[in-house]
Structure formats: C-alpha cells, structure tokens
Amino acid sequence: MKILCIGRNYREHARELNNPVPEKPVFFMKGSNSLLRNGKPFYYPDFSNDIQYEAELVLRIGRLGKNIAPEFAYSYIDAISLGIDFTARDLQTECKNKGLPWEVAKAFDHAAVLGELKPCGDLSRNIRFQLLLNGTQVQDGHSHDMLFPIPAIIAYLSRFITLRTGDLIYTGTPAGVGPISIGDTLEGFLEGEKVFNLNIK
Ligand code: ZN
C-alpha cells in the first residue's frame, strides 16, 4: 500500500506559501510507515521544530488501475475520508531551497493521519471538510476549489504509477496551514461529521 499526495492543489494555499500555481499536478509519495490511524496520538519528532498540519480530502483506491481516463476515475475510488499530511516545514524549506526531494519532510513515520473512511457517494459534489485546532477552526476546504479536480488527479497519477486496491490519495490542502505543539488537539470533520480526533504528544 502506498500514499500519493498532491501538492499545491488550492490557489489560496499556494499563495500562502509563496508557491507558484502549478500547470500540472505536483505529487509526492509516503509509504505505509507514514499511516497513523484509529485515534493513536502523534508524537512530535525530534528532527523538526516546525511540524505543520495540512488537512486534506483522502481518496481510497478500490481496484487496480493504470492510464485511467478521467470519465472513469470515480469508479476507482471506494471510500473517502479526511487526513492530515504532516509536513516538517523547516526541513521542506531547506529541500526546496536546495532543489532536493521532499521525502525527509513528508514521508517520515506517522506523517499521514487518516480519519474514519466513509462511503463515496456522488464524488462530483462539493465536499466540505474542516480542521479544528484546540477547538478553533483553522481550515475550511471545499473539493470544488481544487485546481486539479479528482478525475484529473486520478488520470494524471495513473499515467505514471499503477494504482492498487488500498492505495490512498491525499488531494492537497486549502489555506490555513500552521504549526502544531505538544499538547494540541486536532479534530477533523468531513461534511459535518467528525472523522478523527488527534492528540499531539
Ligand atoms: Zn499536503
């Protein structure tokens, strides 16, 4: 099982990090080592002083696919949830400045929080998701604001990488990303329903 993540998929988020709006999807990967589920806490790692949350709509792949046409993309997804793409922003900034890959900042253990999976329903609807930090809303996303919508993401990724049952796709974060501290609580809501409660230790 692998985790594919889309970067810079919301205009306001690209702007807040002073990144250009991309002409084609930007993606990177995390391994199964990154997955954090079932209400387990996140332990702040010693290699970073600036771990930041990025709340993202997550798609789970339900069947094998390669070179998937956009019009068939929805049929390859069997569940959705909300997740967090934890990012060591200090290490990522160093990588970006040196033109190096991002894995050290993105693919570390437990850097991919996954909430409770939900049935897809009609994936063309405008799916709302929210992240609360210590009870205050910090991110409020809508899937219709994605620069590259779900069918375009599936079509693009599957040109390069075979999608397999159980793979997860993190679809990028809207504006409002920020740092976490030990003692914080993050709560994720998908269409008004709580799908995770995460303690930072
Ligand atoms: Zn992200």
Side-chain angles (χ1 to χ4, degrees):
M1 172 275 194
K2 58 190 177 286
I3 301 169
L4 292 146
C5 306
I6 304 296
R8 304 173 188 173
N9 203 22
Y10 291 82
R11 193 173 302 276
E12 294 306 318
H13 171 63
R15 197 168 288 160
E16 74 181 345
L17 293 186
N18 291 316
N19 289 319
V21 171
E23 287 166 15
K24 49 191 176 185
V26 173
F27 74 90
F28 55 90
M29 289 173 75
K30 305 187 189 226
S32 56
N33 66 298
S34 287
L35 204 56
L36 182 62
R37 291 203 68 180
N38 302 326
K40 292 191 184 107
F42 176 82
Y43 289 93
Y44 205 107
D46 61 5
F47 50 75
S48 173
N49 294 309
D50 191 15
I51 300 286
Q52 297 199 356
Y53 58 79
E54 297 186 356
E56 312 196 356
L57 183 67
V58 180
L59 315 173
R60 186 178 68 183
I61 296 300
R63 62 192 176 106
L64 186 77
K66 171 83 181 162
N67 284 320
I68 299 165
E71 57 267 37
F72 301 124
Y74 291 147
S75 70
Y76 286 82
I77 301 163
D78 74 350
I80 60 170
S81 192
L82 182 67
I84 298 178
D85 164 23
F86 273 132
T87 303
R89 194 74 70 201
D90 44 0
L91 301 183
Q92 189 196 28
T93 301
E94 203 178 312
C95 293
K96 281 159 78 176
N97 290 342
K98 293 179 180 169
L100 294 171
W102 294 357
E103 274 78 1
V104 71
K106 289 282 199 182
F108 54 87
D109 290 348
H110 300 160
V113 175
L114 179 64
E116 191 186 333
L117 288 155
K118 298 287 179 186
C120 299
D122 175 6
L123 287 167
S124 68
R125 71 190 185 279
N126 194 10
I127 302 169
R128 186 182 186 191
F129 55 95
Q130 294 148 291
L131 184 73
L132 275 63
L133 172 64
N134 301 326
T136 301
Q137 182 176 293
V138 286
Q139 291 193 279
D140 184 9
H142 298 82
S143 60
H144 282 188
D145 292 335
M146 289 180 188
L147 294 169
F148 300 99
I150 293 169
I153 291 171
I154 298 283
Y156 187 78
L157 290 175
S158 68
R159 281 174 57 194
F160 303 95
I161 294 174
T162 300
L163 302 179
R164 296 183 188 277
T165 304
D167 287 352
L168 298 172
I169 299 175
Y170 284 58
T171 55
T173 197
V177 303
I180 53 163
S181 304
I182 292 169
D184 284 348
T185 299
L186 290 165
E187 295 166 274
F189 288 83
L190 183 63
E191 298 185 307
E193 201 178 331
K194 193 168 180 171
V195 290
F196 66 76
N197 189 94
L198 179 72
N199 295 313
I200 312 301
K201 295 196 173 181

